[in-house]
Amino acid sequence: MPRRDAAAAVFVARDDVRGSLARLRLLIGACAVIVVVADEPLSADDVDALFESGADDVAASLQPDDLALALRRAVRLALERSTRPTDGADLAAQRGFVQASIDNLPSPIFFTGSDGRYVGCNKAFERLIGRPSAQIVGATVYDIQPMNLARIYEQADQILLRTGGTQVYETRVRFADGSLRDVCIHKSAVAGPDGAPSGIAGALLDVTEYKRLEFRLKDAADRDPLTQAFNRRKFMELAAALERSVQETRQPLSVLVMDLDHFKSINDAYGHAAGDIVLCGFVDVLRSEIGNDNMFARAGGEEFYALCPGSTVEAAAAIAERLRAKFEALGFAWEGTTIKATASFGAAELRVGNETILQAVSRADRALYQSKRAGRNKVHVASAASAGDGPHLSTHGASTDTL
């Protein structure tokens, strides 16, 4: 830091001159005079950009006459500023007070110029980025964030500088530890003397934990609390989305309706805690056998639904048969005894263009009750008859009756 009556020369690379100016101005304050001396001719746009970045004067060449003229102007400007020591001190005090104030705020705060370079920030922003302000001021978002994220911020900034006003959006930011976290960014365009936006002031709110909690709450609302299978509401939501999809793709979509046999007897004989174990065991079988592309839900009580996108009714019936056999082979240990249980199944394929998914579920449900009437522990299939026909059912499993 130079003395009040001292002069210093700082050599900077041409491609970093604007960033260096911003950092230098932040370091030495508004009272010092900064003269830029160029080692090659400058265009009018270059000169304007230097003044915008904090220069007080520009010497367009290294010629002695040009340097002498620039230095005389600098001395005069310095003398003028020195005659207002109180104003300068007040300005420095005010600047220090503002910086100390924002440094004590917990939210990361930053300021950028119209060229997208940072002109200031607080301690929280330094901690977020993992760099001191001296390395942040004069840099752009491309210097401190991954390119894919920086592009998002830059595009948003350009819109804000064109339109003015405020801007709020959620995105991700890479923190100093390398983690990507969800943030909500609040930005406001800062108006210049002519009223046009000349920069941006922004603040970040880390919403990562909120987003995680939001996801957990939404997921909990979608699932049966006992088995963690989807609930009926979520199943119908997924089913409606798949129905719209297959109307376009004309791909097959089948549904399964499943029900545990004599489940009330299990609860009566062993208690509801034992029944819960059996229900969870059935869901474990569904998870292991039904496949990642097939979605299932606990519809209520001991009844379950499954969606089989891309599966004909024959393929869905084969899935159901695997489920039936595997569940029948299980035994559930309970207070010194083993509980055995079975399940019955109904399958139906959506008649694309001729019925809704709810109608297909209803046909699968009727096929399920045919399995029940045929002795349980069976798979029945609703045939792909036309919409005007009654239910045509075929039977899988131990029974081979045709209804």
Side-chain angles (χ1 to χ4, degrees):
M1 177 66 71
R3 301 190 316 274
R4 185 180 187 85
D5 58 349
V10 179
F11 296 91
V12 297
R14 180 182 178 88
D15 58 0
D16 189 44
V17 64
R18 298 182 69 180
S20 298
L21 277 172
R23 290 191 291 271
L24 187 60
R25 179 58 73 191
L26 182 68
L27 177 66
I28 65 178
C31 296
V33 178
I34 299 177
V35 179
V36 176
V37 180
D39 59 358
E40 58 184 63
L42 298 173
S43 68
D45 289 341
D46 289 334
V47 174
D48 288 342
L50 291 172
F51 279 120
E52 184 181 325
S53 298
D56 293 302
D57 199 359
V58 177
S61 74
L62 294 175
Q63 296 299 319
D65 290 345
D66 291 334
L67 290 175
L69 181 60
L71 288 174
R72 284 198 296 272
R73 289 195 299 261
V75 169
R76 181 178 298 127
L77 182 56
L79 288 173
E80 290 176 359
R81 289 179 180 177
S82 67
T83 61
R84 303 191 299 270
T86 302
D87 292 344
D90 288 345
L91 181 61
Q94 292 172 8
R95 184 185 182 92
F97 177 78
V98 171
Q99 186 65 49
S101 298
I102 66 172
D103 279 343
N104 282 284
L105 293 175
S107 296
I109 296 172
F110 63 89
F111 307 95
T112 60
S114 59
D115 60 353
R117 295 184 179 275
Y118 290 98
V119 296
C121 64
N122 67 347
K123 294 296 183 183
F125 192 79
E126 291 182 31
R127 291 191 294 271
L128 182 154
I129 301 301
R131 299 186 187 186
S133 61
Q135 294 180 15
I136 296 173
V137 172
T140 71
V141 290
Y142 288 96
D143 299 317
I144 62 175
Q145 289 289 301
M147 181 172 291
N148 61 318
L149 295 177
R151 190 176 294 113
I152 294 173
Y153 314 146
E154 181 187 45
Q155 291 173 351
D157 287 352
Q158 289 173 351
I159 293 173
L160 184 58
L161 288 170
R162 286 198 305 268
T163 61
T166 60
Q167 189 180 75
V168 180
Y169 63 94
E170 289 187 1
T171 184
R172 308 198 83 188
V173 168
R174 186 182 66 187
F175 277 45
D177 61 3
S179 64
L180 290 176
R181 298 181 68 84
D182 296 298
V183 298
C184 182
I185 301 182
H186 294 248
K187 295 178 181 176
S188 179
V190 179
D194 60 354
S198 62
I200 292 173
L204 285 78
L205 179 64
D206 186 349
V207 296
T208 305
E209 296 306 319
Y210 168 78
K211 299 290 284 186
R212 288 173 180 169
L213 176 60
E214 182 181 48
F215 174 81
R216 288 196 297 269
L217 290 174
K218 184 179 184 305
D219 191 56
D222 290 340
R223 294 188 180 276
D224 166 53
L226 173 64
T227 64
Q228 291 303 300
F230 284 133
N231 55 29
R232 185 188 187 100
R233 181 195 60 79
K234 182 62 176 180
F235 177 86
M236 292 304 176
E237 178 185 316
L238 294 171
L242 275 174
E243 181 183 349
R244 290 191 296 270
S245 176
V246 300
Q247 297 292 349
E248 298 176 0
T249 64
R250 315 303 286 186
Q251 292 295 309
L253 171 62
S254 295
V255 296
L256 298 176
V257 178
M258 303 158 277
D259 190 86
L260 273 60
D261 299 326
H262 302 297
F263 186 71
K264 183 178 183 301
S265 298
I266 295 174
N267 281 335
D268 292 343
Y270 303 102
H272 288 278
D276 289 348
I277 290 176
V278 174
L279 285 170
C280 291
F282 184 68
V283 169
D284 288 341
V285 172
L286 288 173
R287 287 197 181 99
S288 66
E289 292 294 325
I290 206 164
N292 293 331
D293 292 333
N294 302 315
M295 291 153 281
F296 61 89
R298 185 183 180 190
E302 65 271 24
E303 188 173 30
F304 295 82
Y305 294 162
L307 292 168
C308 303
S311 295
T312 63
V313 72
E314 291 78 14
I319 294 171
E321 180 58 28
R322 292 200 306 271
L323 293 169
R324 184 201 65 77
K326 185 167 184 177
F327 186 62
E328 181 185 23
L330 291 179
F332 301 95
W334 178 256
E335 295 183 348
T337 188
T338 299
I339 302 173
K340 300 290 290 184
T342 60
S344 298
F345 300 78
E349 184 175 339
L350 176 69
R351 297 162 175 163
V352 179
N354 291 320
E355 67 177 351
T356 66
I357 193 73
L358 288 178
Q359 290 171 318
V361 170
S362 179
R363 288 194 297 115
D365 192 54
R366 291 198 298 271
L368 164 68
Y369 279 95
Q370 292 296 331
S371 295
K372 294 282 190 181
R373 285 194 289 268
R376 294 181 170 81
N377 192 25
K378 295 178 176 60
V379 178
H380 270 70
V381 173
S383 72
S386 65
D389 295 339
H392 292 257
L393 306 172
S394 60
T395 308
H396 290 244
S399 172
T400 57
D401 296 336
T402 301
L403 303 174

